[in-house]
Amino acid sequence: MAFATTTDAARTDPAVGPEPLTLQDGRPAAAAFTLDPHLGHLNHGSFGAVPRATQAEQQRLRDVMEAAPVAWFPPLPGLVAQARGRVAEFLGTDVRDTAFVANASAGASVVYSSLPVGRRVEILVTDHGYGAVTMGAERLARRWNGRVRTVSVPLDADHDTAAQIITDSITDATSLVVIDQVTSPTARRLPAGAVARHAAQLGVPVLVDGAHAPGLLADPLADLECDFWVGNLHKFTCAPRGTGVLVARGPLVQELNPSIDSWGATDPFPERFDTQGTLDLTGWLAASTSLDLIGDTWGWDTARRYMSDLADHAVDVVAGAFSAITGEDHRVDVGMPVGALRLVRLPGALAAGHGEGNALRDRVLDELGVECAFTAFAGVGYLRLSTHVYNTAADYESFAERCVPVLADWARTA
């Protein structure tokens, strides 16, 4: 999905990236999606992309629903149960521990609203956490006259260093630990497994935010002994929007209730989540279409390897283009890098302030025709690159040639 080159100012001589993936009929992988070919799509990690086949299957299900609503809704919980069984198989979880939710943030909200906490609750989070999930923790703390305590983890901290910092911060006052498995603003892993094991020894429940993990990690819950885990299926697994998963295990499972009290309220977890009134749940039912499309066309291991190799190439090209202009190193050590996500440091103070990343995202889309993600951490602005099967090396080479010089100019005049 390359876009036109308009300047040679930042032309580099990068190593050749991985060969683009193709469909079984030889067409480029992008043909499986409906993304606008006139835009550059370099930010799969935020909102994902739904394949044509999955869109068609969801629309087919909607047509059935609208043709006979009375015939559709009574058996719907059974269909949802079958669908989450397929997703549980993909994630390597027990279907008896697995419920559908709208997204990872919704799953976190379920945990926050259901926990039997007492007054002066203390919730431990890190400074790498996703903003909406942290805000949910703050709301819970306010409700119980408690507080959220934020642990600072250096961006370049390795597994053992990060684990030590976080576990040392758990005290007798800690009521809940919230930790990202893959961080959104900093595109790295955190040692969720080690933290969860330590917290379990202290009797402290742990919520793992695995929003990016499904599809990105081969076995996201392996050796992860946490009480609650939430993940998005609309990101790297390319399911329809509004499709997420809550996995819960341990003594607090039956405290969990969906945000809607419907006719399944008296059912045990997770069955009570299968009944959601008259919500359109066709996205949940169509999720397996995306899982099968990627699995049958390329295989998930091949897809993940391609995304990771392409992300490496993207960093070579984009960071190299910035360096050619600034004379500085724009690579970023994130301590625990992960698959399809990478950071590139932006020049100067570009996007370094609160809210400036979103403003820059909108400007780049409006003026340069590219969908990107910009984040900030510890007062430094970053371009967060994310890849998927429809991306090619040419996408990032085009961005380096056409957009990097513009971003460098914007940084000089900021």
Side-chain angles (χ1 to χ4, degrees), residues 143-172:
R143 195 170 82 213
W144 292 103
N145 192 29
R147 67 168 183 160
V148 169
R149 189 155 55 90
T150 302
V151 179
S152 294
V153 179
L155 181 60
D156 62 354
D158 62 17
H159 176 281
D160 292 346
T161 301
Q164 191 70 52
I165 291 171
I166 299 169
T167 56
D168 283 352
S169 302
I170 302 174
T171 70
D172 291 341

mmCIF file of all heavy atoms in Angstrom, residues 143-172:
data_model
loop_
_atom_site.group_PDB
_atom_site.id
_atom_site.type_symbol
_atom_site.label_atom_id
_atom_site.label_comp_id
_atom_site.label_asym_id
_atom_site.label_seq_id
_atom_site.Cartn_x
_atom_site.Cartn_y
_atom_site.Cartn_z
ATOM 1 N N ARG A 143 -14.028 5.770 44.172
ATOM 2 C CA ARG A 143 -15.270 5.233 44.733
ATOM 3 C C ARG A 143 -15.056 4.678 46.132
ATOM 4 O O ARG A 143 -15.953 4.720 46.967
ATOM 5 C CB ARG A 143 -15.803 4.140 43.799
ATOM 6 C CG ARG A 143 -17.259 3.763 44.079
ATOM 7 C CD ARG A 143 -17.788 2.863 42.982
ATOM 8 N NE ARG A 143 -17.399 1.486 43.174
ATOM 9 C CZ ARG A 143 -17.139 0.628 42.185
ATOM 10 N NH1 ARG A 143 -17.187 1.047 40.942
ATOM 11 N NH2 ARG A 143 -16.823 -0.619 42.439
ATOM 12 N N TRP A 144 -13.876 4.162 46.392
ATOM 13 C CA TRP A 144 -13.585 3.537 47.680
ATOM 14 C C TRP A 144 -12.602 4.360 48.507
ATOM 15 O O TRP A 144 -11.960 3.839 49.414
ATOM 16 C CB TRP A 144 -13.045 2.120 47.466
ATOM 17 C CG TRP A 144 -14.090 1.202 46.918
ATOM 18 C CD1 TRP A 144 -14.223 0.771 45.639
ATOM 19 C CD2 TRP A 144 -15.167 0.623 47.650
ATOM 20 N NE1 TRP A 144 -15.311 -0.041 45.514
ATOM 21 C CE2 TRP A 144 -15.913 -0.159 46.738
ATOM 22 C CE3 TRP A 144 -15.595 0.678 48.996
ATOM 23 C CZ2 TRP A 144 -17.048 -0.874 47.118
ATOM 24 C CZ3 TRP A 144 -16.717 -0.029 49.374
ATOM 25 C CH2 TRP A 144 -17.426 -0.796 48.440
ATOM 26 N N ASN A 145 -12.522 5.673 48.196
ATOM 27 C CA ASN A 145 -11.673 6.574 48.973
ATOM 28 C C ASN A 145 -10.238 6.049 49.042
ATOM 29 O O ASN A 145 -9.583 6.103 50.086
ATOM 30 C CB ASN A 145 -12.229 6.758 50.396
ATOM 31 C CG ASN A 145 -11.565 7.899 51.135
ATOM 32 O OD1 ASN A 145 -11.115 8.866 50.505
ATOM 33 N ND2 ASN A 145 -11.481 7.801 52.454
ATOM 34 N N GLY A 146 -9.773 5.529 47.908
ATOM 35 C CA GLY A 146 -8.427 4.964 47.860
ATOM 36 C C GLY A 146 -7.535 5.746 46.923
ATOM 37 O O GLY A 146 -7.727 6.952 46.719
ATOM 38 N N ARG A 147 -6.579 5.082 46.323
ATOM 39 C CA ARG A 147 -5.645 5.769 45.435
ATOM 40 C C ARG A 147 -5.068 4.793 44.420
ATOM 41 O O ARG A 147 -5.070 3.576 44.624
ATOM 42 C CB ARG A 147 -4.506 6.397 46.228
ATOM 43 C CG ARG A 147 -3.571 5.387 46.884
ATOM 44 C CD ARG A 147 -2.308 6.072 47.393
ATOM 45 N NE ARG A 147 -1.357 5.136 47.964
ATOM 46 C CZ ARG A 147 -0.068 5.388 48.123
ATOM 47 N NH1 ARG A 147 0.413 6.564 47.745
ATOM 48 N NH2 ARG A 147 0.746 4.486 48.655
ATOM 49 N N VAL A 148 -4.582 5.377 43.339
ATOM 50 C CA VAL A 148 -3.807 4.642 42.342
ATOM 51 C C VAL A 148 -2.353 5.052 42.518
ATOM 52 O O VAL A 148 -2.027 6.240 42.558
ATOM 53 C CB VAL A 148 -4.286 4.954 40.913
ATOM 54 C CG1 VAL A 148 -3.319 4.395 39.888
ATOM 55 C CG2 VAL A 148 -5.680 4.386 40.693
ATOM 56 N N ARG A 149 -1.477 4.079 42.632
ATOM 57 C CA ARG A 149 -0.052 4.356 42.763
ATOM 58 C C ARG A 149 0.651 3.904 41.485
ATOM 59 O O ARG A 149 0.512 2.757 41.069
ATOM 60 C CB ARG A 149 0.518 3.638 43.981
ATOM 61 C CG ARG A 149 1.957 4.036 44.313
ATOM 62 C CD ARG A 149 2.272 3.807 45.790
ATOM 63 N NE ARG A 149 2.007 2.431 46.193
ATOM 64 C CZ ARG A 149 2.910 1.457 46.129
ATOM 65 N NH1 ARG A 149 4.132 1.703 45.656
ATOM 66 N NH2 ARG A 149 2.603 0.240 46.524
ATOM 67 N N THR A 150 1.380 4.819 40.874
ATOM 68 C CA THR A 150 2.029 4.552 39.598
ATOM 69 C C THR A 150 3.503 4.236 39.801
ATOM 70 O O THR A 150 4.241 5.019 40.410
ATOM 71 C CB THR A 150 1.891 5.757 38.650
ATOM 72 O OG1 THR A 150 0.503 6.046 38.456
ATOM 73 C CG2 THR A 150 2.535 5.464 37.305
ATOM 74 N N VAL A 151 3.933 3.101 39.275
ATOM 75 C CA VAL A 151 5.323 2.678 39.346
ATOM 76 C C VAL A 151 6.022 3.084 38.045
ATOM 77 O O VAL A 151 5.533 2.787 36.960
ATOM 78 C CB VAL A 151 5.425 1.145 39.531
ATOM 79 C CG1 VAL A 151 6.882 0.712 39.575
ATOM 80 C CG2 VAL A 151 4.690 0.711 40.779
ATOM 81 N N SER A 152 7.140 3.755 38.184
ATOM 82 C CA SER A 152 7.911 4.174 37.014
ATOM 83 C C SER A 152 8.885 3.066 36.607
ATOM 84 O O SER A 152 9.696 2.623 37.423
ATOM 85 C CB SER A 152 8.684 5.460 37.315
ATOM 86 O OG SER A 152 7.788 6.535 37.531
ATOM 87 N N VAL A 153 8.779 2.643 35.375
ATOM 88 C CA VAL A 153 9.667 1.616 34.822
ATOM 89 C C VAL A 153 10.430 2.238 33.668
ATOM 90 O O VAL A 153 9.817 2.714 32.706
ATOM 91 C CB VAL A 153 8.868 0.391 34.330
ATOM 92 C CG1 VAL A 153 9.812 -0.650 33.731
ATOM 93 C CG2 VAL A 153 8.039 -0.216 35.464
ATOM 94 N N PRO A 154 11.766 2.273 33.724
ATOM 95 C CA PRO A 154 12.528 2.858 32.619
ATOM 96 C C PRO A 154 12.194 2.195 31.290
ATOM 97 O O PRO A 154 11.950 0.982 31.225
ATOM 98 C CB PRO A 154 13.987 2.593 33.014
ATOM 99 C CG PRO A 154 13.955 2.462 34.506
ATOM 100 C CD PRO A 154 12.636 1.810 34.822
ATOM 101 N N LEU A 155 12.184 2.993 30.237
ATOM 102 C CA LEU A 155 11.811 2.473 28.924
ATOM 103 C C LEU A 155 12.710 1.319 28.506
ATOM 104 O O LEU A 155 12.258 0.355 27.883
ATOM 105 C CB LEU A 155 11.885 3.598 27.888
ATOM 106 C CG LEU A 155 11.504 3.250 26.454
ATOM 107 C CD1 LEU A 155 10.071 2.754 26.379
ATOM 108 C CD2 LEU A 155 11.701 4.457 25.541
ATOM 109 N N ASP A 156 13.987 1.373 28.866
ATOM 110 C CA ASP A 156 14.931 0.355 28.427
ATOM 111 C C ASP A 156 15.123 -0.771 29.445
ATOM 112 O O ASP A 156 16.027 -1.597 29.291
ATOM 113 C CB ASP A 156 16.285 0.982 28.087
ATOM 114 C CG ASP A 156 16.938 1.661 29.293
ATOM 115 O OD1 ASP A 156 16.297 1.748 30.356
ATOM 116 O OD2 ASP A 156 18.099 2.118 29.161
ATOM 117 N N ALA A 157 14.270 -0.846 30.460
ATOM 118 C CA ALA A 157 14.425 -1.881 31.485
ATOM 119 C C ALA A 157 14.210 -3.267 30.893
ATOM 120 O O ALA A 157 13.224 -3.504 30.187
ATOM 121 C CB ALA A 157 13.436 -1.648 32.624
ATOM 122 N N ASP A 158 15.125 -4.196 31.175
ATOM 123 C CA ASP A 158 14.956 -5.561 30.699
ATOM 124 C C ASP A 158 13.969 -6.304 31.604
ATOM 125 O O ASP A 158 13.416 -5.743 32.556
ATOM 126 C CB ASP A 158 16.297 -6.282 30.625
ATOM 127 C CG ASP A 158 16.995 -6.415 31.976
ATOM 128 O OD1 ASP A 158 16.342 -6.246 33.030
ATOM 129 O OD2 ASP A 158 18.214 -6.681 31.988
ATOM 130 N N HIS A 159 13.747 -7.576 31.297
ATOM 131 C CA HIS A 159 12.738 -8.356 32.016
ATOM 132 C C HIS A 159 12.985 -8.355 33.520
ATOM 133 O O HIS A 159 12.093 -8.023 34.316
ATOM 134 C CB HIS A 159 12.727 -9.792 31.483
ATOM 135 C CG HIS A 159 11.797 -10.711 32.226
ATOM 136 N ND1 HIS A 159 12.111 -11.281 33.444
ATOM 137 C CD2 HIS A 159 10.549 -11.160 31.918
ATOM 138 C CE1 HIS A 159 11.120 -12.026 33.861
ATOM 139 N NE2 HIS A 159 10.157 -11.980 32.943
ATOM 140 N N ASP A 160 14.173 -8.717 33.935
ATOM 141 C CA ASP A 160 14.440 -8.864 35.360
ATOM 142 C C ASP A 160 14.390 -7.528 36.085
ATOM 143 O O ASP A 160 13.876 -7.438 37.210
ATOM 144 C CB ASP A 160 15.799 -9.529 35.574
ATOM 145 C CG ASP A 160 15.807 -10.983 35.126
ATOM 146 O OD1 ASP A 160 14.710 -11.542 34.911
ATOM 147 O OD2 ASP A 160 16.900 -11.554 34.992
ATOM 148 N N THR A 161 14.908 -6.485 35.447
ATOM 149 C CA THR A 161 14.891 -5.159 36.074
ATOM 150 C C THR A 161 13.469 -4.665 36.249
ATOM 151 O O THR A 161 13.088 -4.184 37.326
ATOM 152 C CB THR A 161 15.704 -4.164 35.229
ATOM 153 O OG1 THR A 161 17.046 -4.626 35.095
ATOM 154 C CG2 THR A 161 15.693 -2.788 35.869
ATOM 155 N N ALA A 162 12.658 -4.781 35.179
ATOM 156 C CA ALA A 162 11.277 -4.328 35.264
ATOM 157 C C ALA A 162 10.497 -5.131 36.307
ATOM 158 O O ALA A 162 9.710 -4.572 37.082
ATOM 159 C CB ALA A 162 10.608 -4.440 33.895
ATOM 160 N N ALA A 163 10.709 -6.450 36.325
ATOM 161 C CA ALA A 163 10.002 -7.291 37.294
ATOM 162 C C ALA A 163 10.368 -6.902 38.717
ATOM 163 O O ALA A 163 9.495 -6.819 39.603
ATOM 164 C CB ALA A 163 10.326 -8.757 37.045
ATOM 165 N N GLN A 164 11.640 -6.633 38.954
ATOM 166 C CA GLN A 164 12.075 -6.274 40.307
ATOM 167 C C GLN A 164 11.459 -4.952 40.744
ATOM 168 O O GLN A 164 10.991 -4.810 41.878
ATOM 169 C CB GLN A 164 13.599 -6.172 40.350
ATOM 170 C CG GLN A 164 14.174 -6.052 41.760
ATOM 171 C CD GLN A 164 14.032 -7.351 42.544
ATOM 172 O OE1 GLN A 164 14.421 -8.409 42.069
ATOM 173 N NE2 GLN A 164 13.444 -7.266 43.728
ATOM 174 N N ILE A 165 11.450 -3.979 39.840
ATOM 175 C CA ILE A 165 10.887 -2.670 40.174
ATOM 176 C C ILE A 165 9.411 -2.795 40.546
ATOM 177 O O ILE A 165 8.953 -2.209 41.541
ATOM 178 C CB ILE A 165 11.064 -1.696 38.992
ATOM 179 C CG1 ILE A 165 12.543 -1.347 38.807
ATOM 180 C CG2 ILE A 165 10.240 -0.432 39.191
ATOM 181 C CD1 ILE A 165 12.829 -0.565 37.539
ATOM 182 N N ILE A 166 8.670 -3.566 39.762
ATOM 183 C CA ILE A 166 7.227 -3.661 39.995
ATOM 184 C C ILE A 166 6.918 -4.491 41.232
ATOM 185 O O ILE A 166 6.103 -4.101 42.082
ATOM 186 C CB ILE A 166 6.521 -4.233 38.752
ATOM 187 C CG1 ILE A 166 6.747 -3.312 37.547
ATOM 188 C CG2 ILE A 166 5.021 -4.404 39.007
ATOM 189 C CD1 ILE A 166 6.321 -3.910 36.221
ATOM 190 N N THR A 167 7.553 -5.637 41.379
ATOM 191 C CA THR A 167 7.253 -6.493 42.536
ATOM 192 C C THR A 167 7.685 -5.835 43.841
ATOM 193 O O THR A 167 7.027 -6.009 44.874
ATOM 194 C CB THR A 167 7.911 -7.877 42.386
ATOM 195 O OG1 THR A 167 9.321 -7.714 42.188
ATOM 196 C CG2 THR A 167 7.314 -8.634 41.211
ATOM 197 N N ASP A 168 8.769 -5.080 43.815
ATOM 198 C CA ASP A 168 9.196 -4.372 45.024
ATOM 199 C C ASP A 168 8.197 -3.300 45.441
ATOM 200 O O ASP A 168 8.216 -2.845 46.602
ATOM 201 C CB ASP A 168 10.570 -3.717 44.805
ATOM 202 C CG ASP A 168 11.712 -4.708 44.864
ATOM 203 O OD1 ASP A 168 11.453 -5.885 45.231
ATOM 204 O OD2 ASP A 168 12.847 -4.331 44.536
ATOM 205 N N SER A 169 7.334 -2.892 44.513
ATOM 206 C CA SER A 169 6.362 -1.833 44.799
ATOM 207 C C SER A 169 5.064 -2.365 45.386
ATOM 208 O O SER A 169 4.207 -1.580 45.818
ATOM 209 C CB SER A 169 6.064 -1.049 43.523
ATOM 210 O OG SER A 169 7.245 -0.483 42.985
ATOM 211 N N ILE A 170 4.874 -3.696 45.367
ATOM 212 C CA ILE A 170 3.673 -4.291 45.945
ATOM 213 C C ILE A 170 3.828 -4.324 47.466
ATOM 214 O O ILE A 170 4.828 -4.829 47.979
ATOM 215 C CB ILE A 170 3.433 -5.706 45.395
ATOM 216 C CG1 ILE A 170 3.313 -5.677 43.867
ATOM 217 C CG2 ILE A 170 2.178 -6.316 46.014
ATOM 218 C CD1 ILE A 170 3.226 -7.054 43.236
ATOM 219 N N THR A 171 2.851 -3.773 48.172
ATOM 220 C CA THR A 171 2.911 -3.717 49.630
ATOM 221 C C THR A 171 1.668 -4.359 50.238
ATOM 222 O O THR A 171 0.758 -4.809 49.527
ATOM 223 C CB THR A 171 3.002 -2.257 50.111
ATOM 224 O OG1 THR A 171 1.734 -1.598 49.861
ATOM 225 C CG2 THR A 171 4.105 -1.502 49.387
ATOM 226 N N ASP A 172 1.607 -4.347 51.538
ATOM 227 C CA ASP A 172 0.433 -4.884 52.235
ATOM 228 C C ASP A 172 -0.822 -4.089 51.912
ATOM 229 O O ASP A 172 -1.937 -4.590 52.077
ATOM 230 C CB ASP A 172 0.678 -4.864 53.752
ATOM 231 C CG ASP A 172 1.742 -5.852 54.185
ATOM 232 O OD1 ASP A 172 2.031 -6.779 53.400
ATOM 233 O OD2 ASP A 172 2.293 -5.680 55.291
#
